Amino acid sequence: MLFLLHTSNQIQNTKAHNPQAPTSFLIDFAAQQYGMLSTPNMKTIHDRNLSFFSPQPFFIAGFFFPQQLFQLAWLYRLYKLDPKKPGERGELDQMVDFVPYYSLGNLCIA
């Protein structure tokens, strides 16, 4: 949890590759896998308690699977940008500004 203590300005000033984003992604992904593979899982709960507002596991999987792909693409781009190249510097600066929010969001979901 120490990586959340960095302020946005510290991250912005260093512009070094920071392990916050991939670490929070892996924690979130591991929590999702645990939730799907443990018993009872969401599908079991849904089948036991049928109601209009019960969570539909296939909808949730279909909704979040593309988001995982977009997150992986964003992480790949975050680590492929070179801060030494002037053309990529602006895009990297903007992406790094979102890393604390991205990390916090993933940890809250997990």
Side-chain angles (χ1 to χ4, degrees), residues 79-99:
Y79 278 90
K80 288 303 278 186
L81 290 174
D82 187 4
K84 296 174 186 168
K85 294 181 182 177
E88 296 178 1
R89 177 73 184 217
E91 184 179 356
L92 182 62
D93 289 349
Q94 187 178 23
M95 290 178 78
V96 168
D97 288 341
F98 287 100
V99 168

Side-chain angles (χ1 to χ4, degrees), residues 4-77:
L4 284 178
L5 297 177
H6 291 293
T7 64
S8 179
N9 290 337
Q10 289 172 327
I11 294 169
Q12 185 177 9
N13 291 335
T14 61
K15 297 300 179 201
H17 292 302
N18 198 303
Q20 283 186 41
T23 303
S24 68
F25 176 81
L26 291 174
I27 291 170
D28 180 33
F29 188 75
Q32 289 177 12
Q33 296 305 309
Y34 175 76
M36 290 188 306
L37 301 175
S38 65
T39 53
N41 61 18
M42 190 182 339
K43 174 91 171 92
T44 307
I45 300 297
H46 171 72
D47 292 342
R48 285 185 197 162
N49 305 301
L50 289 176
S51 72
F52 182 76
F53 291 109
S54 64
Q56 180 51 257
F58 299 114
F59 171 78
I60 292 172
F63 181 78
F64 285 108
F65 177 72
Q67 288 186 6
Q68 296 287 329
L69 296 178
F70 289 127
Q71 287 184 26
L72 285 173
W74 184 79
L75 287 170
Y76 175 78
R77 186 78 178 143

